[in-house]
Amino acid sequence: MRHLKAGRKLGRNASHRLALKRNLTRSLIQHERIITTTEKAKELRPFVEKIITIVKKGLASANPAGMLHARRQVLSRLGPLAKAPFYDDAGNPTDDFILKKLFDDIGPRFASRPGGYTRVIKRHERRLGDAGRTAFIELLKLGESKVKTRSPAPAPRVATPPPPVETPPSPAPEASAAPEAPASAPTAAPEQQPPA
């Protein structure tokens, strides 16, 4: 039984899963949009969003000790990859790395957002080789909302009943008319011949 064992195993042991999440986080923070399998993207989302929340709390604290504590928490979650340099297209290392980008760019971007910093978009294309389902995972842009707001539905239209049509009064029946037969009088039914 797997009671209270949340999360996907992804065919890896615990240390391999942690290394996978750290590597995907590094790529996501560097490129801000990556393609991976749907299952990995769904597992990566809470890992990244908790890190961004720690960064936001560190930036919101007014004292430098709070900022230092947040940096150390992020460093402990990301491990040695937190200070690994990013590389440009030519393969040369840049002066940017995960901690710097988190605290200088991504944290202030989501300062007023209460959560939901990433988006997972499923792709139609399957992965070559094993035909695994793939998805985009991306960080939201500045001022972008996760769900498009829809305009409210129009109020239902109440149909007004047409005005009653007035009929002209019928003339009064004349007294000389023949009296009608009462409605309860039985009428003679035609006789049926039995079949021969």
Side-chain angles (χ1 to χ4, degrees):
M1 289 182 281
R2 294 189 69 242
H3 294 178
L4 299 176
K5 307 282 186 194
R8 298 169 176 84
K9 288 191 174 182
L10 300 174
R12 293 161 171 82
N13 58 19
S15 60
H16 195 175
R17 274 194 304 276
L18 179 60
L20 171 77
K21 288 178 186 178
R22 286 174 172 174
N23 287 330
L24 288 174
T25 301
R26 180 183 185 279
S27 296
L28 179 63
I29 291 171
Q30 181 178 0
H31 302 290
E32 297 195 6
R33 183 177 192 176
I34 59 173
I35 298 173
T36 183
T37 63
T38 305
E39 292 78 13
K40 287 179 190 173
K42 288 180 179 180
E43 279 298 304
L44 179 65
R45 174 190 263 171
F47 186 78
V48 171
E49 292 195 358
K50 287 174 186 173
I51 289 173
I52 294 174
T53 301
I54 292 171
V55 171
K56 278 177 45 181
K57 287 180 181 177
L59 291 173
S61 67
N63 58 353
M67 177 78 99
L68 179 63
H69 180 59
R71 289 179 76 90
R72 286 178 174 166
Q73 280 185 315
V74 172
L75 185 63
S76 70
R77 287 178 187 246
L78 290 176
L81 283 178
K83 293 189 176 181
F86 292 151
Y87 293 92
D88 59 7
D89 294 336
N92 301 322
T94 63
D95 62 342
D96 210 5
F97 54 95
I98 292 181
L99 276 179
K100 184 177 179 184
K101 187 163 182 183
L102 275 172
F103 282 90
D104 293 347
D105 180 32
I106 295 175
R109 181 192 311 178
F110 298 122
S112 61
R113 187 175 182 83
Y117 316 115
T118 59
R119 174 190 297 132
V120 175
I121 303 169
K122 293 182 181 178
R123 298 176 69 221
H124 181 69
E125 294 87 9
R126 294 281 186 134
R127 185 168 63 178
L128 292 176
D130 64 350
R133 293 176 295 179
T134 58
F136 290 108
I137 182 166
E138 61 184 12
L139 295 172
L140 297 181
K141 304 287 187 263
L142 182 64
E144 185 178 9
S145 63
K146 197 170 199 179
V147 178
K148 304 270 186 206
T149 56
R150 295 183 182 174
S151 60
R157 296 178 64 187
V158 178
T160 56
V165 179
E166 295 189 24
T167 57
S170 59
E174 294 182 14
S176 63
E180 293 182 8
S184 62
T187 56
E191 292 185 23
Q192 293 184 354
Q193 298 274 340

